[in-house]
Amino acid sequence: MANVFVYGTLIFPEVVFGLTHKNFKSRSAILTGYQRFKIFDNEISRSYPAITKKLNKEVEGKILFDVDEESLKILDFFEDSDYIKKEVTVSFDNQKTTAFVYVWNPKFEDQLKLNWSPEEFKEKHLQYYVAEVIPRVLEEYR
């Protein structure tokens, strides 16, 4: 069993349940020393689901407790090669614990920009997930 720090789409219980068919206990958590990227839609910023190391920054998310090996493999598959799984320390309820987190693969760091327009995000990432990743996950784990 492992703990997993999640952010982005995996922060929603419905997404994790849709992938794993399991509800995990969770708590709001903070990951320090990382930065999250943004999508700008006119004046409104929306977080982009990619994080990289950055001193004096933090990412809000939640921690999933006691994730079994089978579910961890599904999350690994869902995150694809743009991300790598790292073991980190996260804070929750004035406590600290170790957890896995999916961070942006340093091999592709030059492909990230701090600011994305919604059109750029849709063009580069959204269609890929809808057309490629989600059908593979559903087919693999039916």
Side-chain angles (χ1 to χ4, degrees), residues 70-81:
E70 179 184 334
S71 297
L72 196 55
K73 287 178 184 175
I74 293 169
L75 296 177
D76 290 347
F77 184 81
F78 179 74
E79 289 298 351
D80 206 7
S81 64

Side-chain angles (χ1 to χ4, degrees), residues 9 38 40 45 49 61 72 76 80 90 129-130:
T9 54
K38 304 278 184 191
F40 282 87
S45 74
L72 196 55
D76 290 347
D80 206 7
V90 296
Y129 272 93
V130 170

Side-chain angles (χ1 to χ4, degrees), residues 116-131:
W116 290 80
S117 73
E119 294 77 23
E120 287 175 300
F121 175 76
K122 286 178 186 173
E123 181 182 317
K124 292 183 184 285
H125 297 284
L126 187 60
Q127 293 305 317
Y128 169 72
Y129 272 93
V130 170

